Amino acid sequence: MTSPQPDTEIRAELVRLIEGLDYYRTWRIAQLEATLPAGETLDLNTVVVPGSFFLDLYDQQSRKSDRKQILKEVQSWYAHTANEFHAFMKSGEQEVVQDINAFLARFRADIGFDFFSESGLIRKTMNKAVKRGKLVNDAEWYVLQEFMVGGTAGDFTPEEIAQIQHLMTEYESAK
């Protein structure tokens, strides 16, 4: 009996997400190497593993549920990293915020999808802000601004988009 073939849709989604993971990894390695003292080398164990690791692991699985678990692991990496970005953006350090915003813009342009949308952070932030009726800090504004600039409008209803725009306008007016 031959082993079952990998589910092509799951694998295609994994490959798409891995491209973004590797893009982030390259960017992060360059950042870390730029801050290393002369003569020191970067411990690559401090950076997310390459996408090929997940793809190799996926290809070794024979059960669809195990393949789906690999995909979920990569999806959770997006959520975790987006939360880290969100925390860094809350720090208020302008240089950090600018670096992250520049990375997110390049990511969207080069990879073809929005990092925060993929992570679920935009939906989570929007739901919290709408529930409380306002934005509470710059980090929330930046997350929603990412969506407004280049997010996937298909993920939200026209009413939700109007609410986001209203909350952002109110927040900007209050500053």
Side-chain angles (χ1 to χ4, degrees):
M1 179 176 189
T2 61
S3 63
Q5 292 298 309
D7 183 286
T8 55
E9 289 178 14
I10 295 172
R11 191 173 198 286
E13 179 66 0
L14 181 63
V15 167
R16 182 181 78 86
L17 294 177
I18 284 172
E19 183 181 3
L21 181 148
D22 284 339
Y23 190 88
Y24 166 85
R25 185 174 194 272
T26 300
W27 173 75
R28 188 67 182 131
I29 288 171
Q31 277 192 317
L32 293 171
E33 287 177 338
T35 62
L36 282 177
E40 288 192 30
T41 58
L42 178 63
D43 176 6
L44 292 180
N45 290 326
T46 64
V47 183
V48 66
V49 298
S52 61
F53 169 83
F54 292 105
L55 197 55
D56 290 345
L57 190 59
Y58 175 92
D59 289 338
Q60 294 170 17
Q61 306 307 311
S62 60
R63 294 182 1 208
K64 186 173 184 173
S65 63
D66 292 338
R67 292 190 301 267
K68 281 184 174 180
Q69 186 57 44
I70 305 294
L71 176 61
K72 286 181 183 184
E73 181 67 28
V74 173
Q75 289 169 327
S76 71
W77 171 82
Y78 273 88
H80 175 75
T81 304
N83 284 331
E84 284 182 354
F85 280 164
H86 186 67
F88 287 135
M89 293 169 92
K90 280 168 81 172
S91 75
E93 293 181 41
Q94 224 25 50
E95 186 177 326
V96 171
V97 171
Q98 288 173 346
D99 285 348
I100 292 171
N101 281 331
F103 167 78
L104 293 171
R106 285 190 315 271
F107 184 94
R108 184 175 41 257
D110 294 346
I111 301 301
F113 60 87
D114 183 83
F115 193 97
F116 282 157
S117 289
E118 199 58 52
S119 72
L121 185 61
I122 292 174
R123 169 59 69 185
K124 182 178 165 186
T125 302
M126 194 260 333
N127 287 345
K128 286 191 328 190
V130 167
K131 184 176 180 178
R132 85 169 84 81
K134 66 179 183 176
L135 300 179
V136 294
N137 56 43
D138 287 347
E140 285 186 349
W141 186 89
Y142 282 117
V143 168
L144 296 176
Q145 178 65 16
E146 277 298 309
F147 162 72
M148 297 307 287
V149 169
T152 53
D155 293 343
F156 300 91
T157 67
E159 294 80 19
E160 289 173 324
I161 293 170
Q163 286 177 309
I164 292 169
Q165 290 172 325
H166 175 73
L167 294 176
M168 291 179 72
T169 301
E170 283 185 342
Y171 183 77
E172 291 165 359
S173 296
K175 285 189 95 177

